Amino acid sequence: MEHQVAKEAHAVAPPPNSVEAGKPAGVGGVVQNVPPAQAPVPADKAAAGSATDRDAVLAKVEMERKLSMVKAWEEHEKSKVDNRAEQKMSYILSWENTKKASIEAKLRTREEKLEKKKAEYAEKMRNQMAAIHKEAEEKRASVEAKRQEEVLKYQETAAKHRSKGTTPKKKFLQCFG
């Protein structure tokens, strides 16, 4: 730091009263040339006052340079923090989307398996219903065939009794007799 101040001491000083009071020097340590607002100072007073004015201006310029460096450093660090946070947010979003896609794929797979099982079970139930219907039709056909046989048998027996003129000897007619 002292080395920089020593280098600046050898620099050419701006003319006295070149910076208006209360206004900062130009950006980056450049001094703006502003016409003096006061009446000219005598030569002997100017020589004595110019060294102190020059030191004050140099100190002010140095302070402003330091403040601008601090501000630039602060902005740089803030941008680094913002970039890091944005990168982490992007990573988290990517991670979230990957996990969601994975779970949605699993869900679709399970839904497909369930749909397949449901279709298989429905087919099995339809087959069972068809088998039950077939068995019922077979039982109906059997009952109908047996009924037809018995009806035919009784018709033949009745025809025999008519031809012989006899009556059946079963207990059926006991209620008449």
Side-chain angles (χ1 to χ4, degrees):
M1 189 61 80
E2 294 174 19
H3 188 59
Q4 288 179 347
V5 173
K7 282 185 179 180
E8 291 176 6
H10 295 292
V12 177
N17 297 325
S18 65
V19 177
E20 291 183 25
K23 289 190 177 178
V27 178
V30 177
V31 178
Q32 297 177 350
N33 289 328
V34 178
Q38 303 175 6
V41 179
D44 59 337
K45 282 190 173 179
S50 68
T52 55
D53 285 346
R54 184 173 154 260
D55 289 340
V57 168
L58 285 177
K60 187 175 182 181
V61 167
E62 180 65 21
M63 181 56 78
E64 288 176 0
R65 186 185 68 78
K66 286 178 183 179
L67 290 175
S68 71
M69 293 291 278
V70 168
K71 186 175 181 179
W73 173 84
E74 179 184 18
E75 292 298 321
H76 177 71
E77 292 300 316
K78 283 181 183 179
S79 69
K80 281 177 23 181
V81 168
D82 289 343
N83 289 341
R84 243 183 277 129
E86 186 65 31
Q87 188 178 22
K88 286 181 181 181
M89 291 294 209
S90 176
Y91 173 78
I92 291 169
L93 180 65
S94 172
W95 173 83
E96 178 186 20
N97 290 339
T98 302
K99 293 294 181 179
K100 281 182 178 179
S102 172
I103 289 181
E104 286 174 358
K106 283 182 183 179
L107 178 63
R108 280 192 302 273
T109 303
R110 296 245 172 123
E111 285 176 347
E112 288 170 1
K113 285 181 181 178
L114 287 174
E115 286 295 322
K116 186 178 178 183
K117 281 185 178 183
K118 182 180 176 183
E120 289 172 357
Y121 188 73
E123 183 66 27
K124 185 178 176 181
M125 293 298 110
R126 282 192 294 272
N127 290 342
Q128 285 181 354
M129 289 174 57
I132 290 170
H133 182 70
K134 182 180 175 186
E135 190 176 340
E137 287 295 323
E138 289 172 357
K139 288 183 179 184
R140 283 188 198 103
S142 173
V143 168
E144 185 62 29
K146 190 172 183 180
R147 186 185 76 81
Q148 289 292 335
E149 287 175 10
E150 288 179 4
V151 167
L152 187 59
K153 177 182 154 188
Y154 289 118
Q155 284 176 348
E156 289 174 0
T157 307
K160 262 195 232 176
H161 284 291
R162 281 187 206 107
S163 67
K164 291 184 181 177
T166 61
T167 58
K169 294 182 180 175
K170 293 218 172 181
K171 295 181 180 180
F172 168 74
L173 297 176
Q174 286 181 357
C175 61
F176 295 117

